[in-house]
Amino acid sequence: MDWSALRIAAGASAAFTIDYDLEGHLVAVAADYGVSKDLTGHALAQIARHPRDRYHVCCRRPLDVPAVLQALTRCGARFSIDFFLPSAAHLIPAAAPWLAHADLVFANAAEHRLLEQVMQSTAAGQVQGVVVTDGPRPVQWLHHDRLLAACTPPYARPLEVTGAGDTLAGHLLARTLHGDSPAAALRSAVLAATRHTASPRPAPGPSRS
């Protein structure tokens, strides 16, 4: 894993409070972005230094999504995108002019519905590829609106759902870059995300040397 783009800044870390109801549905999200408010400038500087790298853009606040996607498109960089449901209704339309330039867009079922509505109501073009997750139902990889591959997650008792989408996206992109077929990459990514959800989060404790 290459950490050369890591930036360490003095100040408060981003903190999120996520509330769910008794059925496990998201009720509210509150955010304090801390030093991550400087993320856009750092991303733009990284793109300027390495315009031919591949990028994955998590379209969520406080990132200036249009500025980053415009910079990637202008320099011809390869990139993929995902969204965060609480801000998707605002950021999918903001990202719309550049979505057709992305290799892949990762979305859950609710985000995919928003994505389809936005792309139908604009002249932004067609999204090349979309990977759609839908809880325990099959994950679908669509290419120009046609099913390219699908994989049903194996049953696992969920213990930690936060980060499952990031695990799936990162694993799928890595396997694709290593030459796996879409079906093989998707199957491997779904299994990785399932292992993540079935693993308890380690309890915080003192560091050990």
Side-chain angles (χ1 to χ4, degrees), residues 146-162:
R146 294 185 177 183
L147 185 64
L148 184 65
C151 181
T152 301
Y155 174 77
R157 180 169 171 264
L159 298 175
E160 178 55 71
V161 296
T162 301

Side-chain angles (χ1 to χ4, degrees), residues 9-105:
S13 297
F16 302 91
T17 302
I18 305 176
D19 295 323
Y20 297 91
D21 62 19
L22 294 177
E23 285 72 43
H25 300 120
L26 180 68
V27 175
V29 177
D32 181 1
Y33 297 116
V35 295
S36 65
K37 289 184 291 186
D38 297 329
L39 177 61
T40 299
H42 175 58
L44 293 175
Q46 181 71 16
I47 294 167
R49 287 193 296 268
H50 305 283
R52 296 303 174 189
D53 280 3
R54 288 176 180 258
Y55 292 88
H56 181 70
V57 184
C58 299
C59 295
R60 59 197 69 183
R61 298 184 178 101
L63 186 70
D64 185 341
V65 170
V68 171
L69 297 184
Q70 184 179 58
L72 290 170
T73 301
R74 280 181 172 174
C75 68
R78 302 283 298 275
F79 63 94
S80 52
I81 293 173
D82 71 16
F83 294 96
F84 182 47
L85 185 56
S87 59
H90 173 71
L91 292 182
I92 289 177
W98 301 278
L99 291 177
H101 298 278
D103 290 337
L104 272 177
V105 177

Side-chain angles (χ1 to χ4, degrees), residues 171-181 185:
H171 198 95
L172 186 144
L173 291 169
R175 295 314 316 166
T176 301
L177 289 172
H178 277 84
D180 284 13
S181 68

